[in-house]
Amino acid sequence: MSKVPPIILNNGIEMPQLGFGVWQVPDDEAEQAVATALEAGYRSIDTAAAYENEAGTGKAIAGSGVAREELFVTTKLWNTEHGRDSALRAFDASLAKLGLDYVDLYLIHWPVPAKDAYIDTYKAFEEILADGRAKAIGVSNFLPEHLERLIDATSVVPAVNQIELHPHLQQHASREFHAQQGITTEAWSPLGQGKGLLEVPAIVAIAQKHGRTPAQIVLRWHIQLGNVVIPKSVTPSRIKENIDVFGFALDPEDMAAISALNEDRRLGPDPAQMA
Ligand code: NAD
């Protein structure tokens, strides 16, 4: 079984560098998918209130026999819940659905700049952190301008910014800003949602060279850059394949060939516009 190395977050908490994402997994399938991932050795699970599968995720955790302290559970506050009081209520609801008394990481899902409420929301997150009900707090889909404003107005630098990141959208400005601020970069849709990216000839050629799959090559590229990744699959063979990326290394020329694929092309929404 693969052992996933940890990243040390800016508050000293350890987060596995590779976890299991459950976006678009229906609640009644999440229990099985998460159970398969936990059996395969994943210890980090990425869910969100908006995925409507916190309950199924929680059932898999409860039934897994894995000690709570060995797990790293992330969930996120949805866009309709911005503001201090609604954030505190949303957090309680997420914990109840998960059946947990704390999460490892609580994220603001999107900044929703049009609402101009993410600073109040984050102040509620600081209260949750102080209570010990989240071991770390952070954000998702924040642009550097949002982070700058947040850091100026609050006292806890986000531990993580979870952003869309894959070889077609390499996010150089965000990654550089995060590194300067001590924020860990977590890649969502690390495989580019499996659409097209895994057939790119340069990636297929590197896969053949190493006797690995294109998905493993892309995940390994992220790992060697220092990104946290949370690939999603409901197919048991792919769930196992996606965590088996710690027994080989890409050569500098492989890294360079993948880094040359950047097109600054988003699959998901623009964080400045998402409401
Ligand atoms: P992904 O890049 O992980 O791709 C998943 C898809 O790739 C699968 O549905 C499957 O079609 C394919 N795939 C997976 N493993 C494969 C393999 N080994 N071989 C071939 N194809 C394979 O995309 P994602 O689900 O969008 O992102 C991963 C996770 O990131 C999500 O589940 C969620 O937890 C998180 N996420 C967060 C946000 C956010 O706004 N914060 C947005 C999207 C996703």
Side-chain angles (χ1 to χ4, degrees), residues 21-23 46 51 76 109-110 140-141 162 188-194 198 215 230-233 238 241-242:
V22 295
W23 181 42
D46 183 80
Y51 302 168
K76 315 185 192 85
H109 209 143
W110 293 87
S140 177
N141 300 302
Q162 185 186 114
W188 64 254
S189 296
L191 299 172
Q193 300 179 358
L198 304 179
I230 42 170
K232 172 252 170 184
S233 176
R238 287 177 169 176
E241 175 186 323
N242 291 346

